Amino acid sequence: MVVDSREAFLLSRELTEIEAILACISSVAVLLCARAGAEEAGKRSELFETWQAAGQLREERRVEKETYTLVLWTHRGQFDVSGAIREKMIDPAALFDQVLSVYDWVVPHSIEALGGPVRDVHVVLVDGYEKESTSAALRGTNVILNEIRRWHERLGASESRREILYGSAAHEFFHLQNYRTDPDESKFGREFHAMVWESSILVRRNGGPGLWGMIRSLKARAVAEGTALDGDFAATYDAVRTRGLAFHVANLLLRKGGVEAIEAVAKALLHDEGDGVASLDAALAARGGDLTYGSALEGYRAFVRKAGAGE
């Protein structure tokens, strides 16, 4: 996929919306827990079970494979999608098939590449949700909430913008796996790690030029918005610079070892028992070469500052 500067900027705006709507990148995702896989999760979601018991969830699609089960639900209660379907004149059957298709590509690929404990995945389409009151309490389980309006808009956009949904789904599935292996969020850069995995999916789907287009767009946005480049990126989170650095690291890995190198580092970050920058450096060192968090950070700073100076 060849991405021109305008399209790449639009794509980066889509990507950086993730923070505003995260749990999910260009979809709004909160991780819940369904009954299926609850023992594996070590945590049950009373909310999901309450929704089910009250008849507020409708199963729309199900895929059962040898290595995973994927279920698509719509919310018909507090976050009822019916109004959005009428207002946006959405063809529900077509939308459900498209959403399922994205996850049915991402989930098996992620399981094969990453391993991880999650095998049952529940995706719930909602129309609005109370992020602050639900996300923290329901984190660490095996369900992803997606905003039906956002998915409808992106699925109806250009092909390159639709492709972002694959990165979006991959980003959240990585979180889903990560929270299972680290429920206390002790590992460095949970968002950074998910973004590294997200970048590998973009490469798998669109090739290196697609990733490079995103990097250039994020660089332009960092310059335009005056994103702070000083300080420790690992200590504080900023959506533009964190994704920019994660994609920068991914691009360096891609050039040295192909997309398999990105996937290997993401897998190591998912399963490591370390904490802090040391865990990232250990994953990078295992790939050989002299790439470290520090060298990548300095390289990214120079990359953005050079653009800011008009060079």
Side-chain angles (χ1 to χ4, degrees), residues 6-304:
R6 181 177 180 277
E7 178 71 1
F9 179 75
L10 290 173
L11 291 172
S12 77
R13 293 299 297 265
E14 296 288 340
L15 284 171
T16 52
E17 280 184 3
I18 299 169
E19 183 58 19
I21 58 176
L22 268 187
C24 184
I25 151 177
S26 44
S27 55
V28 183
V30 177
L31 303 179
L32 305 175
C33 184
R35 232 175 245 283
E39 292 182 5
E40 189 178 89
K43 173 182 176 182
R44 298 175 71 96
S45 169
E46 294 181 3
L47 178 57
F48 188 93
E49 293 177 353
T50 298
W51 286 347
Q52 272 194 314
Q56 295 184 13
L57 295 179
R58 179 186 298 173
E59 182 176 325
E60 304 291 357
R61 299 288 189 275
R62 175 182 291 264
V63 174
E64 295 190 12
K65 301 287 180 68
E66 184 177 346
T67 57
Y68 68 96
T69 297
L70 175 62
V71 186
L72 176 66
W73 307 81
T74 52
H75 205 291
R76 302 292 175 161
Q78 183 179 3
F79 310 125
D80 196 338
V81 301
S82 302
I85 290 173
R86 290 192 300 270
E87 178 185 336
K88 298 294 184 179
M89 294 185 290
I90 296 172
D91 178 347
L95 179 66
F96 301 158
D97 288 343
Q98 289 175 308
V99 174
L100 191 72
S101 177
V102 170
Y103 279 96
D104 199 26
W105 190 93
V106 166
V107 169
H109 177 75
S110 299
I111 289 174
E112 180 180 359
L114 295 172
V118 177
R119 293 293 183 271
D120 296 322
V121 183
H122 298 260
V123 179
V124 183
L125 292 176
V126 298
D127 187 18
Y129 82 106
E130 298 172 355
K131 180 179 178 181
E132 296 302 321
S133 64
T134 59
S135 59
L138 300 175
R139 181 179 294 136
T141 57
N142 67 338
V143 179
I144 301 173
L145 291 189
N146 288 155
E147 282 279 8
I148 190 171
R149 294 173 187 267
R150 292 184 182 276
W151 274 71
H152 170 65
E153 290 167 3
R154 285 155 182 74
L155 285 168
S158 65
E159 180 180 355
S160 56
R161 297 180 85 181
R162 287 197 300 271
E163 285 293 312
I164 292 177
L165 292 174
Y166 288 85
S168 176
H171 182 108
E172 289 312 314
F173 188 72
F174 189 92
H175 279 319
L176 190 153
Q177 299 277 32
N178 199 328
Y179 281 120
R180 295 292 186 88
T181 59
D182 180 31
D184 296 324
E185 300 189 63
S186 61
K187 294 194 181 85
F188 157 70
R190 188 177 294 278
E191 285 298 313
F192 182 93
H193 293 176
M195 290 167 183
V196 170
W197 176 243
E198 172 191 328
S199 71
S200 76
I201 295 296
L202 295 175
V203 173
R204 284 287 184 191
R205 297 284 308 177
N206 305 313
L211 177 61
W212 179 242
M214 298 299 182
I215 292 171
R216 288 187 298 138
S217 303
L218 289 164
K219 175 187 67 174
R221 186 163 184 177
V223 171
E225 296 182 2
T227 301
L229 297 174
D230 297 324
D232 184 1
F233 279 30
T236 56
Y237 178 76
D238 176 272
V240 174
R241 73 180 192 180
T242 300
R243 178 162 282 105
L245 178 59
F247 283 16
H248 179 71
V249 167
N251 190 52
L252 294 174
L253 290 168
L254 179 67
R255 287 159 54 186
K256 292 184 177 183
V259 67
E260 293 81 7
I262 306 175
E263 292 173 342
V265 167
K267 182 176 182 178
L269 292 172
L270 178 65
H271 295 284
D272 83 300
E273 296 180 358
D275 190 15
V277 172
S279 63
L280 175 59
D281 281 343
L284 294 173
R287 302 302 306 168
D290 55 1
L291 179 60
T292 65
Y293 168 78
S295 67
L297 179 58
E298 288 309 308
Y300 180 68
R301 283 172 171 158
F303 178 65
V304 176

